[in-house]
Amino acid sequence: MLQRLQQLDRKLFILINQKLQYQWGDRLFPLLTHLGSATFSIFFLLVSILFIQSPANRWAWDALIAVAVSHLFMRFIKWRVPRVRPYITLPGSRTFRNPLADCSFPSGHTTAAFAMAITAFLYAPITGWFLLPLATLVGVSRIYLGLHYPSDVLAGALNGAITAILIFYLFH
């Protein structure tokens, strides 16, 4: 069963990374992927905290906590599950500028994107419906850029989402 899931993971990676090659994707995904970076996430949330009047900025506080907690959990998993990035192990993988060399599992960018999107959804569902597809595209960008397997992205999405839900309900 595990072997079949790994084969499916590789097949989905090859489909997204090697077969779906588009000029617009080559331009869009290297930019879009940064929306899930720790630097962007923390900067965006700190700006939101500083410039949005309280109590409307409460979502940004919760999202910041969710990003931080999920990031710590993600780092722990990366340390315990040292999975090599797909562009290193799969011949023919496409990657773009500045490929990463640390462990692949789970996707930190996807973790942060989903932690923010789910927190926003819990506070303002309309905003969340806009941010959830954006978070999903961050995850797809990680595969398109050759940096993560689909299971890395799924694990990151679950980590960010579950952490956001727990933080929301722990503080409310």
Side-chain angles (χ1 to χ4, degrees):
M1 176 73 161
L2 181 61
Q3 189 175 11
R4 292 178 96 175
L5 289 173
Q6 289 172 331
Q7 287 175 341
L8 177 61
D9 206 21
R10 284 191 294 274
K11 285 180 181 179
L12 284 172
F13 173 83
I14 290 167
L15 173 69
I16 295 168
N17 178 260
Q18 296 173 21
K19 302 221 186 297
L20 298 179
Q21 296 181 26
Y22 298 103
Q23 224 174 27
W24 62 265
D26 292 349
R27 286 193 300 265
L28 176 67
F29 286 130
L31 298 172
L32 188 64
T33 201
H34 294 295
L35 295 179
S37 72
T39 303
F40 174 82
S41 301
I42 293 168
F43 176 77
F44 175 78
L45 293 170
L46 287 175
V47 167
S48 297
I49 289 167
L50 291 172
F51 293 105
I52 296 175
Q53 295 283 324
S54 184
N57 70 2
R58 182 67 194 161
W59 76 270
W61 280 107
D62 280 6
L64 184 63
I65 294 167
V67 166
V69 170
S70 63
H71 185 79
L72 290 173
F73 187 63
M74 180 264 312
R75 281 281 156 213
F76 175 76
I77 295 170
K78 279 186 185 269
W79 175 67
R80 300 289 294 159
V81 183
R83 187 178 197 185
V84 179
R85 293 194 180 266
Y87 78 87
I88 296 171
T89 61
L90 294 177
S93 296
R94 297 177 334 120
T95 192
F96 292 73
R97 285 181 277 150
N98 305 321
L100 302 171
D102 66 338
C103 298
S104 175
F105 184 84
S107 168
H109 284 68
T110 309
T111 295
F114 271 86
M116 289 191 302
I118 294 295
T119 301
F121 183 82
L122 292 168
Y123 275 93
I126 292 173
T127 303
W129 284 117
F130 169 74
L131 293 179
L132 284 170
L134 201 56
T136 302
L137 286 173
V138 168
V140 171
S141 77
R142 305 306 288 166
I143 302 165
Y144 190 90
L145 299 173
L147 300 170
H148 289 286
Y149 290 97
S151 60
D152 301 339
V153 168
L154 179 60
L158 289 172
N159 178 24
I162 291 168
T163 304
I165 293 165
L166 288 174
I167 295 299
F168 181 81
Y169 286 109
L170 281 174
F171 291 110
H172 296 99

